[in-house]
Amino acid sequence: MSMVRLTGLQEMIDGISRERNLPKTAVEAALREALLKGYERYRRTQSLDVRNIFDETYFDNFDVELDTEEEGFRVLATKSIVEEVADPDHEIALSDVQEVAAEAQLGDTVILDVTPDRDDFGRMAAIQTKQVLAQKLRDQQRKLIQEEFQELESTVLQGRILRFERQSVIVAVTSGYSQPEVEAELPKREQLPNDTYRANGTIKVYLKKVCEGSQRGPQLLVSRADAGLVVYLFANEVPEIEDDIVRIVAVAREANPPSRHVGPRTKIAVDTVERDVDPVGACIGARGSRIQVVVNELRGEKIDVIRWSPDPATYIANALSPARVVEVRLMNPEERQAHVLVGDDQLSLAIGKEGQNVRLAARLTGWKIDIRDVAKYDRDEEDAKMASYLAEREAALALAAAEAADDFAEEEPETDDFADEDAEFSPGEIDPSAAADDETDDEFDGDDLEDDQEQAPLDSAADADDGDQEEDDQDSDDSDPDDLAENDSADEDFDGDDPDSEALDQEAN
């Protein structure tokens, strides 16, 4: 078998593997795909005079075999054995194969060496191979990074600052001890306003997303502004959280306020299952030692630790800390609207600078909070307004439900399943199946046999005289023809059991 020599093939594979942190098998697979694309380019240059001869699947039966010991490669083609050859790239004659293997039969496949000479391979094919190899290696790196960091998504990693690109910071992170570093992007919107980034400096980052696809640049998106970073820092500093004695219920963070005059701030709600444990004190620590570590890591960000409560009013009052709340009125629990009454001296503190405190409290609790001055609050007026609003909302909902019902009734198609069957009977005749249904319904309703005998002739006469009534009854019946057949069979069983039913049927007919 012929071979195209590649001097230093093994050293090249080892070098690429070390440089790009890829396993040798991945490098060899990328090289085989690149060489196959180079062979495809070589074949296309040989057939420039014939257009559209090669489609996308034309070279699917070709493969490349690498020989690292002899430092070369071969191109192999899998061909089918046929009587007459129509496509020499995919077929081979049976007579040609039997000269080598007499047991060959039609329909079998053989693998043949179609390796071209090195001089015939061409410069364009070599350039194509180099370009495809670079692309395949990048794809292998992306795939490896996705598999390596997919399980680490939504966790905190230690990062080392590498460089700056536009407004983003490129950080080197690793998935574990002795693992190679991988580049991650820290965009502007995920940075803290008080952070200072210096080359080779170390910071903790939150792995927010592992990007998929073939996009250029880092595949990892990290953040310093995500609330998950605060949760990790508290869990790392408070042993009670790690032991599940204290749990973090909710976090509301504003790391990048809309105004530069307002600093970053976080509210975190904690709770405990132990009566003897103070969850707020456990997170703050002795003289604030534990929370100070978190504040230092977040570059002086203000953090409010509050006690969670199952009572919404108590929870809302705690969330507005450090303001002192006089009363919390749950005006509309369904839409989670509440009025919070505070003193005049606590009004600005409850609202916060540019509304930051009440905004974070609303995010933390999930309630719409309206801060009111207790001295100017009119309870009767507010109750009347809320009652009027609720009445208008109920009326609007009722009107919308009625309109929806009317639309549904107009759009509902009329069932004409029995129209054709009714046409077979004259106006003076009665549908036997309908009479059978009437008998079955009367029996199942608990009426005795004598009442059925008296009622059946009357029903039959009424049905015969009033054709419109019969048509309305059939239109209102939503059963299928199959159900009608089942009712007929049920009536037959009933009539067979009771000897008086035969006379009843004759009289009805």
Side-chain angles (χ1 to χ4, degrees):
M1 300 178 70
S2 60
M3 177 185 296
V4 176
R5 297 286 179 178
L6 295 176
T7 306
L9 176 61
Q10 186 63 48
E11 295 180 0
M12 180 184 68
I13 294 176
D14 294 341
I16 295 175
S17 178
R18 289 191 304 269
E19 180 183 354
R20 295 180 176 265
N21 297 320
L22 291 173
K24 294 182 181 180
T25 55
V27 178
E28 291 178 359
L31 183 58
R32 283 196 298 269
E33 292 185 33
L35 290 171
L36 185 59
K37 287 294 182 180
Y39 176 76
E40 183 178 334
R41 179 61 179 268
Y42 156 74
R43 288 294 309 277
R44 292 181 184 276
T45 56
Q46 298 296 318
S47 306
L48 293 177
D49 53 337
V50 182
R51 295 185 178 181
N52 299 328
I53 189 176
F54 303 117
D55 56 14
E56 295 180 357
T57 62
Y58 189 85
F59 292 94
D60 288 350
N61 64 314
F62 289 82
D63 195 9
V64 172
E65 180 186 32
L66 286 178
D67 192 338
T68 55
E69 295 181 358
E70 298 184 8
E71 296 186 339
F73 73 93
R74 301 181 183 88
V75 181
L76 306 178
T78 302
K79 299 183 179 181
S80 302
I81 301 177
V82 296
E83 191 70 33
E84 295 182 0
V85 177
D87 186 358
D89 282 335
H90 301 84
E91 300 172 348
I92 188 172
L94 177 62
S95 57
D96 295 340
V97 179
Q98 288 181 341
E99 294 178 0
V100 181
E103 66 279 6
Q105 298 180 0
L106 291 175
D108 294 344
T109 57
V110 294
I111 299 177
L112 302 177
D113 184 6
V114 294
T115 308
D117 294 336
R118 180 168 182 172
D119 297 337
D120 297 339
F121 202 67
R123 177 174 172 272
M124 295 301 296
I127 295 176
Q128 178 80 5
T129 302
K130 183 178 179 180
Q131 294 175 349
V132 174
L133 177 60
Q135 180 63 35
K136 294 299 180 182
L137 291 175
R138 287 194 295 268
D139 294 342
Q140 289 287 351
Q141 279 186 304
R142 294 190 182 98
K143 183 178 179 181
L144 206 64
I145 290 173
Q146 292 173 8
E147 294 176 354
E148 182 180 358
F149 286 90
Q150 198 72 46
E151 297 180 355
L152 297 177
E153 195 170 320
S154 301
T155 60
V156 175
L157 305 174
Q158 188 76 17
R160 182 173 61 89
I161 299 174
L162 295 179
R163 63 185 184 275
F164 304 92
E165 291 184 357
R166 298 182 180 89
Q167 293 184 338
S168 299
V169 180
I170 305 302
V171 183
V173 295
T174 178
S175 61
Y177 180 73
S178 73
Q179 294 293 327
E181 292 184 336
V182 177
E183 291 185 354
E185 181 183 2
L186 179 63
K188 178 66 175 178
R189 64 181 180 276
E190 301 295 341
Q191 300 173 16
L192 295 181
N194 297 333
D195 270 344
T196 55
Y197 303 102
R198 298 177 181 177
N200 294 324
T202 58
I203 55 174
K204 287 184 175 66
V205 292
Y206 180 81
L207 181 56
K208 194 169 184 178
K209 183 180 180 182
V210 179
C211 303
E212 298 180 358
S214 58
Q215 66 179 23
R216 295 184 178 181
Q219 296 295 109
L220 306 180
L221 181 65
V222 295
S223 172
R224 290 271 296 168
D226 196 277
L229 180 60
V230 180
V231 175
Y232 168 82
L233 294 175
F234 270 102
N236 194 39
E237 292 296 329
V238 182
E240 289 83 356
I241 295 179
E242 187 176 358
D243 296 337
D244 293 332
I245 298 175
V246 176
R247 64 188 182 101
I248 298 176
V249 180
V251 179
R253 190 182 185 195
E254 197 173 72
N256 291 299
S259 174
R260 61 189 180 94
H261 302 291
V262 182
R265 189 173 182 176
T266 298
K267 285 183 179 290
I268 178 171
V270 294
D271 191 24
T272 180
V273 295
E274 299 288 343
R275 292 184 177 181
D276 299 335
V277 177
D278 179 14
V280 177
C283 293
I284 294 176
R287 296 183 180 179
S289 58
R290 292 178 176 176
I291 196 173
Q292 191 61 42
V293 176
V294 179
V295 171
N296 293 339
E297 177 63 33
L298 300 178
R299 304 297 186 264
E301 181 173 329
K302 187 176 181 180
I303 300 176
D304 298 331
V305 182
I306 69 165
R307 178 70 181 268
W308 178 84
S309 174
D311 179 29
T314 305
Y315 188 27
I316 293 172
N318 294 341
L320 289 170
S321 174
R324 295 190 303 271
V325 176
V326 176
E327 183 184 356
V328 177
R329 303 192 66 201
L330 306 180
M331 304 299 294
N332 187 1
E334 293 184 0
E335 297 184 2
R336 303 174 73 87
Q337 296 178 358
H339 289 178
V340 178
L341 308 182
V342 297
D344 183 53
D345 58 336
Q346 298 292 314
L347 190 60
S348 60
L349 187 60
I351 296 175
K353 195 172 184 179
E354 298 188 6
Q356 186 184 55
N357 190 56
V358 67
R359 186 165 58 246
L360 287 176
R363 293 179 187 174
L364 189 71
T365 60
W367 282 73
K368 300 176 182 178
I369 301 175
D370 189 2
I371 306 295
R372 299 293 185 89
D373 187 353
V374 65
K376 301 178 181 178
Y377 188 77
D378 189 345
R379 297 173 180 270
D380 296 336
E381 182 181 356
E382 295 297 334
D383 292 342
K385 289 181 179 179
M386 184 55 63
S388 175
Y389 167 75
L390 293 177
E392 292 178 358
R393 190 190 67 170
E394 292 180 0
L397 292 176
L399 181 60
E403 292 178 354
D406 294 340
D407 294 341
F408 179 78
E410 292 177 359
E411 295 177 359
E412 184 178 6
E414 296 182 357
T415 56
D416 297 334
D417 296 340
F418 303 105
D420 297 336
E421 296 181 4
D422 295 341
E424 296 178 0
F425 299 97
S426 62
E429 295 178 346
I430 303 174
D431 187 355
S433 61
D437 287 343
D438 292 339
E439 287 180 5
T440 306
D441 294 340
D442 292 338
E443 178 63 23
F444 289 155
D445 288 340
D447 297 337
D448 56 12
L449 185 59
E450 295 179 357
D451 294 340
D452 293 341
Q453 292 175 350
E454 295 176 357
Q455 186 68 22
L458 297 176
D459 293 341
S460 301
D463 292 341
D465 294 336
D466 192 357
D468 296 337
Q469 181 65 29
E470 178 184 357
E471 181 178 357
D472 294 339
D473 294 339
Q474 292 176 354
D475 290 341
S476 63
D477 189 2
D478 294 336
S479 60
D480 294 335
D482 295 339
D483 298 336
L484 188 61
E486 292 179 1
N487 293 333
D488 291 340
S489 62
D491 294 336
E492 291 174 1
D493 295 340
F494 172 78
D495 296 340
D497 294 338
D498 192 350
D500 295 335
S501 62
E502 295 181 357
L504 181 65
D505 291 342
Q506 293 175 0
E507 186 179 2
N509 292 329

